[in-house]
Coordinates of all heavy atoms in Angstrom, one line a residue:
I125 N -3.6 15.3 24.3 CA -2.7 15.1 23.2 C -3.0 16.2 22.2 O -4.1 16.4 21.7 CB -3.0 13.7 22.5 CG1 -2.8 12.6 23.5 CG2 -2.0 13.6 21.3 CD1 -3.2 11.2 22.9
A126 N -2.0 17.0 22.0 CA -2.2 18.2 21.1 C -1.4 18.0 19.8 O -0.2 17.8 19.9 CB -1.7 19.5 21.8
E127 N -2.0 18.2 18.7 CA -1.4 18.3 17.4 C -0.6 17.0 17.0 O 0.4 17.1 16.2 CB -0.5 19.5 17.3 CG -1.2 20.8 17.5 CD -2.2 21.2 16.5 OE1 -2.1 20.6 15.4 OE2 -3.0 22.1 16.7
A128 N -0.9 15.9 17.5 CA -0.3 14.6 17.0 C -1.0 14.2 15.7 O -2.1 14.6 15.5 CB -0.5 13.5 18.0
R129 N -0.2 13.6 14.8 CA -0.8 13.1 13.6 C -1.0 11.6 13.6 O 0.0 10.8 13.8 CB 0.1 13.5 12.4 CG -0.4 13.0 11.0 CD 0.1 13.7 9.9 NE -0.3 15.1 9.8 CZ -1.5 15.5 9.4 NH1 -2.3 14.7 8.8 NH2 -1.8 16.8 9.4
F130 N -2.2 11.2 13.4 CA -2.6 9.8 13.4 C -2.8 9.2 12.0 O -3.3 10.0 11.1 CB -3.9 9.6 14.2 CG -3.7 10.0 15.6 CD1 -4.1 11.3 16.0 CD2 -3.2 9.1 16.6 CE1 -4.0 11.7 17.4 CE2 -3.0 9.5 17.9 CZ -3.4 10.8 18.3
H131 N -2.4 8.0 11.8 CA -2.4 7.4 10.4 C -3.2 6.1 10.5 O -3.1 5.3 11.5 CB -1.0 7.1 9.9 CG -0.2 8.3 9.8 ND1 0.1 9.0 8.7 CD2 0.6 8.9 10.8 CE1 0.9 10.0 9.0 NE2 1.2 10.0 10.2
T132 N -4.0 5.8 9.5 CA -4.7 4.5 9.4 C -4.9 4.2 7.9 O -4.5 5.0 7.0 CB -6.0 4.5 10.1 OG1 -6.5 3.2 10.2 CG2 -7.1 5.3 9.3
T133 N -5.4 3.1 7.6 CA -5.6 2.6 6.2 C -7.0 2.3 6.0 O -7.6 1.5 6.8 CB -4.7 1.4 5.9 OG1 -3.3 1.7 6.2 CG2 -4.8 1.0 4.4
I134 N -7.6 2.8 4.9 CA -9.0 2.5 4.6 C -9.1 2.0 3.2 O -8.6 2.7 2.2 CB -9.9 3.8 4.7 CG1 -9.8 4.3 6.2 CG2 -11.3 3.5 4.4 CD1 -10.6 5.7 6.4
D135 N -9.5 0.8 3.0 CA -9.6 0.2 1.6 C -8.3 0.3 0.9 O -8.2 0.6 -0.3 CB -10.7 0.9 0.8 CG -12.1 0.7 1.3 OD1 -12.3 -0.4 2.0 OD2 -13.0 1.5 1.1
G136 N -7.2 0.0 1.7 CA -5.9 0.0 1.1 C -5.2 1.3 0.9 O -4.1 1.4 0.3
L137 N -5.9 2.4 1.3 CA -5.4 3.8 1.1 C -5.0 4.4 2.4 O -5.8 4.4 3.3 CB -6.4 4.6 0.3 CG -5.9 5.8 -0.4 CD1 -5.0 5.5 -1.5 CD2 -7.1 6.6 -1.0
A138 N -3.8 4.9 2.5 CA -3.4 5.6 3.7 C -4.0 7.0 3.9 O -4.0 7.8 3.0 CB -1.9 5.7 3.8
V139 N -4.6 7.2 5.1 CA -5.2 8.5 5.4 C -4.7 9.0 6.7 O -4.3 8.1 7.6 CB -6.7 8.5 5.3 CG1 -7.2 8.3 3.9 CG2 -7.3 7.5 6.3
S140 N -4.7 10.3 7.0 CA -4.2 10.7 8.3 C -5.0 12.0 8.7 O -5.7 12.6 8.0 CB -2.7 11.1 8.3 OG -2.5 12.2 7.5
C141 N -4.8 12.3 10.0 CA -5.4 13.5 10.5 C -4.6 14.0 11.7 O -3.7 13.3 12.2 CB -6.9 13.3 11.0 SG -6.9 12.3 12.5
S142 N -4.8 15.3 12.1 CA -4.1 15.9 13.2 C -5.1 16.6 14.1 O -5.2 17.9 13.9 CB -2.9 16.8 12.7 OG -2.2 17.3 13.8
P143 N -5.8 16.0 15.0 CA -6.7 16.7 15.8 C -6.0 17.7 16.7 O -4.9 17.5 17.1 CB -7.2 15.6 16.8 CG -7.0 14.3 16.0 CD -5.7 14.5 15.3
D144 N -6.6 18.9 16.8 CA -6.0 20.0 17.5 C -5.8 19.6 19.0 O -4.7 19.9 19.6 CB -6.8 21.2 17.4 CG -6.8 21.7 16.0 OD1 -5.9 21.4 15.2 OD2 -7.8 22.4 15.6
L145 N -6.8 18.9 19.6 CA -6.7 18.5 21.0 C -7.5 17.3 21.2 O -8.6 17.2 20.8 CB -7.1 19.6 21.9 CG -6.9 19.4 23.4 CD1 -5.4 19.5 23.7 CD2 -7.6 20.4 24.3
L146 N -6.9 16.3 21.9 CA -7.6 15.1 22.1 C -7.4 14.7 23.6 O -6.3 14.5 24.1 CB -7.0 14.0 21.2 CG -7.7 12.6 21.1 CD1 -9.1 12.8 20.6 CD2 -6.9 11.7 20.2
S147 N -8.5 14.6 24.3 CA -8.5 14.1 25.7 C -9.0 12.7 25.7 O -9.4 12.1 24.7 CB -9.3 15.1 26.6 OG -10.7 14.9 26.4
R148 N -9.2 12.2 26.9 CA -9.7 10.8 27.1 C -11.1 10.7 26.7 O -11.7 9.6 26.5 CB -9.5 10.3 28.5 CG -8.0 10.2 28.9 CD -7.9 9.7 30.3 NE -6.5 9.7 30.8 CZ -5.6 8.7 30.6 NH1 -6.1 7.6 30.1 NH2 -4.4 8.8 31.0
T149 N -11.8 11.9 26.6 CA -13.2 11.8 26.3 C -13.6 12.7 25.1 O -14.7 12.5 24.6 CB -14.1 12.3 27.5 OG1 -13.7 13.6 27.9 CG2 -13.8 11.4 28.7
T150 N -12.8 13.7 24.8 CA -13.2 14.7 23.8 C -12.2 15.0 22.8 O -11.0 15.0 23.0 CB -13.5 16.0 24.6 OG1 -14.5 15.8 25.6 CG2 -14.1 17.1 23.6

Side-chain angles (χ1 to χ4, degrees):
I125 303 171
E127 302 292 345
R129 178 160 293 278
F130 299 95
H131 304 262
T132 193
T133 305
I134 302 175
D135 292 336
L137 201 62
V139 295
S140 72
C141 72
S142 182
D144 296 334
L145 190 70
L146 191 60
S147 73
R148 294 178 186 272
T149 60
T150 307

